[in-house]
């Protein structure tokens, strides 16, 4: 019997419904600007939080009792069954996984790989019936104790090799399942203390691994996007892929800025001292925007709490930047979000995703309306309009400090400040989000 027995596929009932198991804003077939909401938002369920996580925190272990928890391949099949049942209930979204979420660890590398292949075959069969698709796959190079001092950045070349071999098997699995992206998040690619760390060497190692991953993916004909997911800290004290700007510098250094994009997570952006929309806008400006991990952190705890999003005005500003960047192309909205550890029931898992999807849908619609209405963009363009006038364009091409100096003196330039109109613009945004 299904773990979700008794829970029916969720349908759209509109904002007025009081049915807790219905969509109030997410109507997958609603067409906005020539595309359905499902096509715009490309929702994905994260295998790790929804099916592998046991409810532990630093002070206590497992709180969840799922029938599929266990060390065998049969347990992993039961886990996949439950996952596909949830996908069907939510309306066949995308999904994302780490190798360690879907297969049991074997006694050695060969057995671990066989386990992965067995489960990938099983998932492929389930996908063949149509329905959910793979947004991205990735390798878990952070949970096992062998990675405690890093994967690609480990001082031991054998760990580097083990990590590389694992990435190969994960790219294979992602390719086999038609994944639209492959993600690399460097959970242990950072350091705890500089006292024992050769930072320059570790950075080179990380660059080399990324080059090899890109080469391998292209060699086997993987057409999807390859994405790095920035995060400033946690688990390591200082991670090398700190934020979008840092990742861009890293990609430039290794000549990969045309090959690799970013998967931006809401909570990671906040941990880095940025807003989510800042990270999205910067990635778009640099031509490396790929996909998003949607969640939220508790603003008081300063910790990566990976909660489901519930702040529509915040989400609106994120989708506003995404729409300006041309929307989610191969990317999607992956709920890298988990239940609270007291939320034990199957229905909690469903309700969490319904809430997240509704908040995103509401935010998306508001963002779309704001962009269509056009006042914000018109104000932004007007603010820079003088750059198109007179001698201004030459300032960015052939002017020198000498010629500029002469002109300032000759014309007696005395620039007058103009209002940035921030409050008016915020009021305008509130008309849409309030
Ligand atoms: C960790 C995190 C990861 C990545 C994939 O904070 O976000 O789950 O999304 O490894
Ligand atoms: Co993430």
């Amino acid at each position: 019997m299904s773990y979700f027995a008794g829970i029916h596929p969720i349908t759209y009932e509109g904002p007025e419904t009081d049915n807790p198991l219905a969509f109030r804003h997410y109507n997958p077939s609603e067409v906005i600007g020539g595309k359905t909401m499902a096509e715009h938002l490309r929702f994905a369920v994260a295998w790790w939080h929804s099916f592998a996580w046991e409810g532990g925190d630093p002070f206590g272990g497992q709180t969840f009792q799922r029938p599929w928890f266990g060390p065998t391949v049969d347990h992993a099949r039961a886990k996949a069954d439950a996952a596909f049942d949830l996908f069907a209930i939510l309306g066949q979204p995308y999904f994302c996984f780490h190798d360690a979420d879907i297969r049991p660890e074997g006694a050695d590398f060969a057995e671990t790989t066989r386990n992965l292949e067995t489960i990938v075959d099983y998932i492929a069969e389930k996908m063949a019936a149509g329905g959910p698709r793979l947004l991205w796959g990735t390798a878990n190079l952070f949970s096992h104790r062998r990675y405690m001092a890093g994967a690609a950045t480990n001082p031991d070349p054998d760990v580097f090799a083990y990590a590389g071999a694992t990435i190969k098997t994960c790219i294979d699995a992602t390719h086999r399942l038609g994944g639209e992206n492959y993600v690399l998040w460097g959970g242990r690619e950072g350091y705890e203390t500089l006292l024992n760390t050769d930072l320059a060497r570790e950075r080179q190692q990380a660059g080399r691994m990324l080059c090899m991953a890109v080469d391998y993916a292209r060699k086997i004909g993987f057409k999807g996007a390859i994405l790095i997911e920035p995060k400033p800290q946690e688990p390591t004290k200082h991670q090398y892929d700190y934020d979008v700007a840092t990742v861009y510098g890293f990609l430039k250094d290794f000549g990969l800025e045309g090959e690799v994009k970013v998967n931006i997570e809401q909570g990671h952006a906040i941990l880095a001292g940025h807003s989510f929309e800042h990270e999205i806008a910067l990635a778009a400006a640099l031509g490396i925007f790929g996909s998003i991990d949607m969640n939220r952190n508790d603003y008081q705890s300063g910790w990566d709490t990976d909660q489901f999003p519930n702040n529509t005005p915040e989400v609106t500003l994120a989708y506003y930047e995404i729409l300006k960047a041309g929307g989610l192309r191969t990317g999607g909205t992956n709920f890298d979000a988990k239940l609270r550890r007291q939320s034990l029931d199957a229905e909690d898992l469903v309700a969490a995703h319904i809430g997240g999807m509704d908040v995103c849908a509401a935010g998306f619609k508001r963002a779309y309306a704001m962009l269509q209405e056009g006042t914000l963009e018109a104000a932004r363009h007007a603010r820079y309009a003088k750059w198109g006038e007179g001698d201004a364009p030459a300032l960015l091409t052939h002017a020198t400090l000498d010629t500029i100096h002469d002109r300032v003196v000759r014309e007696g330039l005395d620039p007058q400040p103009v209002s940035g109109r921030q409050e008016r613009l915020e009021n305008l945004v509130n008309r849409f989000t309030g």
Side-chain angles (χ1 to χ4, degrees):
M1 195 173 71
S2 166
Y3 180 68
F4 296 97
I7 305 179
H8 302 293
I10 308 304
T11 54
Y12 172 74
E13 292 185 9
E16 303 311 325
T17 186
D18 58 4
N19 177 0
L21 295 185
F23 292 123
R24 295 170 61 245
H25 300 288
Y26 179 56
N27 182 0
S29 57
E30 180 182 345
V31 175
I32 294 188
K35 279 207 280 185
T36 65
M37 289 292 280
E39 289 165 340
H40 279 298
L41 290 163
R42 297 164 61 84
F43 288 126
V45 174
W47 209 288
W48 51 103
H49 286 316
S50 290
F51 305 109
W53 186 58
E54 297 179 345
D57 73 7
F59 298 91
Q62 181 173 346
T63 57
F64 298 159
Q65 293 175 320
R66 312 290 198 214
W68 57 82
F69 284 168
T72 69
V73 171
D74 280 342
H75 286 110
R77 284 200 190 90
K79 185 166 25 172
D81 291 343
F84 276 73
D85 288 346
L86 180 66
F87 303 156
I89 287 169
L90 295 176
Q92 312 291 12
Y94 286 83
F95 61 97
C96 301
F97 65 81
H98 304 82
D99 52 349
D101 309 326
I102 60 170
R103 56 94 183 117
E105 182 93 13
D108 55 20
F109 185 84
E111 194 190 351
T112 299
T113 305
R114 274 198 305 281
N115 289 347
L116 179 64
E117 287 168 356
T118 302
I119 293 299
V120 164
D121 284 346
Y122 190 66
I123 292 175
E125 270 172 40
K126 296 179 87 73
M127 289 174 76
R133 287 188 282 160
L134 177 60
L135 185 64
W136 48 263
T138 186
N140 179 328
L141 303 177
F142 44 88
S143 294
H144 196 281
R145 65 191 292 276
R146 78 173 67 86
Y147 296 122
M148 69 176 191
T153 60
N154 202 287
D156 180 350
D158 287 350
V159 177
F160 179 94
Y162 202 103
T166 302
I167 292 174
K168 176 199 175 292
T169 64
C170 291
I171 295 177
D172 286 341
T174 302
H175 188 42
R176 162 95 212 277
L177 295 175
E180 299 187 22
N181 306 268
Y182 183 81
V183 165
L184 297 109
W185 169 62
R188 303 274 172 199
E189 313 296 21
Y191 61 82
E192 293 300 320
T193 171
L194 269 182
L195 298 177
N196 65 10
T197 301
D198 183 341
L199 192 150
R201 170 188 279 280
E202 292 198 0
R203 220 174 147 272
Q204 287 300 319
Q205 288 177 205
R208 173 73 187 137
M209 185 69 88
L210 185 58
C211 288
M212 288 196 293
V214 169
D215 285 350
Y216 182 72
R218 299 307 175 220
K219 190 188 92 178
I220 64 170
F222 178 70
K223 299 277 186 302
I226 298 176
L227 310 175
I228 291 195
E229 184 174 321
K231 185 174 182 181
Q233 80 253 346
E234 200 210 331
T236 67
K237 163 74 183 130
H238 186 113
Q239 292 190 197
Y240 296 126
D241 49 9
Y242 195 97
D243 60 2
V244 168
T246 311
V247 168
Y248 186 70
F250 178 82
L251 295 178
K252 285 288 256 192
D253 204 4
F254 293 94
L256 292 171
E257 69 276 17
E259 290 284 352
V260 178
K261 295 185 161 52
V262 283
N263 180 42
I264 303 172
E265 178 164 324
Q266 200 275 359
H268 297 181
I270 305 297
L271 287 175
H274 303 303
S275 66
F276 194 21
E277 60 270 22
H278 164 87
E279 289 289 80
I280 294 166
L282 181 59
L286 297 170
I288 58 168
F289 175 65
S291 192
I292 56 169
D293 271 9
M294 180 57 92
N295 57 19
R296 80 178 202 276
N297 282 353
D298 182 308
Y299 282 113
Q300 280 76 48
S301 75
W303 193 245
D304 189 11
T305 56
D306 281 340
Q307 290 164 257
F308 280 84
N310 75 350
N311 185 327
T312 304
E314 272 185 6
V315 166
T316 302
L317 294 178
Y319 281 115
Y320 189 72
E321 295 303 326
I322 291 171
L323 280 168
K324 276 169 54 192
L328 293 164
R329 294 166 202 223
T330 71
T333 302
N334 172 43
F335 290 110
D336 194 349
K338 63 184 181 223
L339 295 174
R340 298 305 86 191
R341 69 197 293 266
Q342 299 176 54
S343 303
L344 302 179
D345 299 342
E347 204 172 296
D348 292 323
L349 210 42
V350 177
H353 283 92
I354 293 174
M357 290 158 89
D358 261 345
V359 164
C360 291
F364 179 87
K365 284 185 202 175
R366 289 161 198 209
Y368 187 84
M370 229 150 72
L371 202 56
Q372 285 297 106
E373 194 266 353
T375 307
L376 263 186
E377 286 320 289
R380 191 197 313 271
H381 285 125
R383 190 156 180 253
Y384 295 91
K386 274 177 72 183
W387 277 98
E389 294 167 9
D391 290 343
L395 290 174
L396 301 181
T397 52
H398 18 271
T400 66
L401 290 190
D402 285 330
T403 62
I404 289 176
H405 173 267
D406 291 350
R407 189 185 139 224
V408 169
V409 173
R410 192 177 60 246
E411 296 181 10
L413 273 193
D414 181 19
Q416 295 304 306
V418 292
S419 172
R421 300 186 162 182
Q422 181 167 337
E423 293 77 10
R424 287 200 225 184
L425 299 174
E426 287 169 349
N427 294 350
L428 177 76
V429 169
N430 284 346
R431 265 180 32 214
F432 291 90
T433 61

